[in-house]
Structures are given as structure tokens and as C-alpha cells.
């Protein structure tokens, strides 16, 4: 067993994990140099754990520090998503995770066409506003024309 009393990780898991780590001497970060998700966090699959895909920083925490209590996040002191150095990791609530992100200047709220659920592009919104301003067209008609719900036109 590796780390604190882990019931699931083996020495083979530890070896596999460490084979994917690249220490950076200046910062102390251990950068994950294999598969990353779109947000830059490492991913790993341990052979003996039924093919579950782990985020590498969460796996690092469990390998070296112990189980992550339900509902807690693993946060980075170094603010490097690819870092898996257990000394750079700490546990926090969802609220602490959000506050940490804000404190580090990474809080970004998508609006307009950048929002994940948006149905209209900016040029379409401008067209709709212009058409509606001229009159003689209902929000319902505009909704049908742009293939969106009436609430999208109203908003």
C-alpha cells in the first residue's frame, strides 16, 4: 500500500502514476506529462480499479494523503491544473473552490454567444432587435424565424 492506509492503490498503481510525472525543479510542481482533459487536468486509468478514469491531481491526493471525503474538491496551491505534487494540493469545499478561483483571477462568466447554452449569435441578436424595433413583427414570429423559444426573443 502507498500513502496513508489506502485500501485500493497498489505499488503498481504508484509506479504507473509516477511514470507519468515530470518534476519541475524551480516551482516544485510535478507536471502530468500524459493525457490531459480540455481544462488541463491530467487523467489516469489504474488497471486494478475497474477502468475508472481518475483526474490525476485527485489520484495524487489519494495516493499520498488518503481518501478524499465526499463533497470535497482537491485544490491547487500553485494554480497549475497539470500539477500533481501532493504538497501543492489541499482539500476544500465547493465554496472554497469558487473563492480560490476568484482570488486567483480565474473567475469568468460566459455571456452572450460565449455562454454554453446560447442559441443565437451576436449578429442574429442585433438583427432581431432591429426588426422588432421597426415594428409590425411579433416576438412569436421572430422566434419561429430564428428557430428559438419566445423567451429567447424576449430576453
Amino acid at each position: 500500500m502507498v500513502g496513508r492506509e489506502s485500501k485500493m492503490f497498489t505499488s503498481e498503481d504508484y509506479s504507473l502514476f509516477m511514470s507519468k510525472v515530470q518534476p519541475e525543479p524551480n516551482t516544485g510542481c510535478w507536471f502530468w506529462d500524459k493525457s490531459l482533459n480540455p481544462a488541463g487536468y491530467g487523467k489516469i486509468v489504474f488497471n486494478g480499479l475497474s477502468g475508472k478514469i481518475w483526474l490525476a491531481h485527485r489520484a495524487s491526493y489519494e495516493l499520498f494523503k488518503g481518501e478524499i471525503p465526499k463533497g470535497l474538491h482537491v485544490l491547487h496551491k500553485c494554480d497549475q491544473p497539470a500539477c500533481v505534487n501532493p504538497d501543492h494540493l489541499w482539500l476544500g469545499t465547493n465554496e472554497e473552490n469558487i473563492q480560490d478561483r476568484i482570488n486567483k483571477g480565474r473567475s469568468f462568466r460566459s455571456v452572450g454567444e460565449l455562454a454554453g447554452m446560447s442559441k443565437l449569435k451576436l449578429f442574429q441578436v442585433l438583427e432581431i432587435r432591429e426588426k422588432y424595433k421597426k415594428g409590425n413583427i411579433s416576438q412569436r414570429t421572430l422566434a419561429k424565424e430564428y428557430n428559438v423559444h419566445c423567451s429567447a426573443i424576449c430576453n
Side-chain angles (χ1 to χ4, degrees):
M1 300 296 164
V2 177
R4 284 188 6 208
E5 292 302 310
S6 173
K7 293 182 178 82
M8 60 178 84
F9 294 105
T10 65
S11 57
E12 289 81 21
D13 293 329
Y14 173 80
S15 295
L16 174 67
F17 182 86
M18 292 307 294
S19 74
K20 299 172 184 292
V21 170
Q22 191 67 30
E24 202 291 308
N26 296 317
T27 62
C29 288
W30 295 0
F31 287 113
W32 193 254
D33 71 353
K34 299 299 179 199
S35 181
L36 300 174
N37 72 12
Y41 293 94
K43 301 182 297 182
I44 185 171
V45 176
F46 293 106
N47 298 334
L49 298 175
S50 67
K52 176 185 173 188
I53 298 173
W54 288 73
L55 289 174
H57 67 291
R58 292 181 64 85
S60 177
Y61 191 94
E62 290 213 7
L63 272 166
F64 293 97
K65 293 187 171 188
E67 188 174 341
I68 301 166
K70 185 176 176 144
L72 292 184
H73 297 264
V74 177
L75 289 74
H76 290 84
K77 293 176 187 173
C78 60
D79 203 31
Q80 296 293 326
C83 179
V84 295
N85 182 339
D87 292 336
H88 291 192
L89 304 175
W90 57 284
L91 294 178
T93 64
N94 189 55
E95 292 77 20
E96 290 169 323
N97 192 26
I98 292 168
Q99 190 59 53
D100 184 54
R101 185 180 69 219
I102 291 168
N103 293 345
K104 292 175 178 170
R106 290 185 291 105
S107 185
F108 174 76
R109 184 172 179 261
S110 298
V111 294
E113 66 186 75
L114 296 177
M117 299 293 288
S118 76
K119 303 286 184 203
L120 298 168
K121 300 290 184 193
L122 178 60
F123 78 90
Q124 293 172 308
V125 171
L126 297 174
E127 284 176 1
I128 290 166
R129 287 179 179 169
E130 192 60 34
K131 288 178 181 180
Y132 192 70
K133 190 166 98 175
K134 288 180 181 177
N136 298 328
I137 192 164
S138 70
Q139 290 181 1
R140 184 180 313 265
T141 302
L142 287 167
K144 286 180 184 176
E145 182 179 334
Y146 286 88
N147 198 29
V148 294
H149 193 272
C150 287
S151 64
I153 301 298
C154 181
N155 290 335

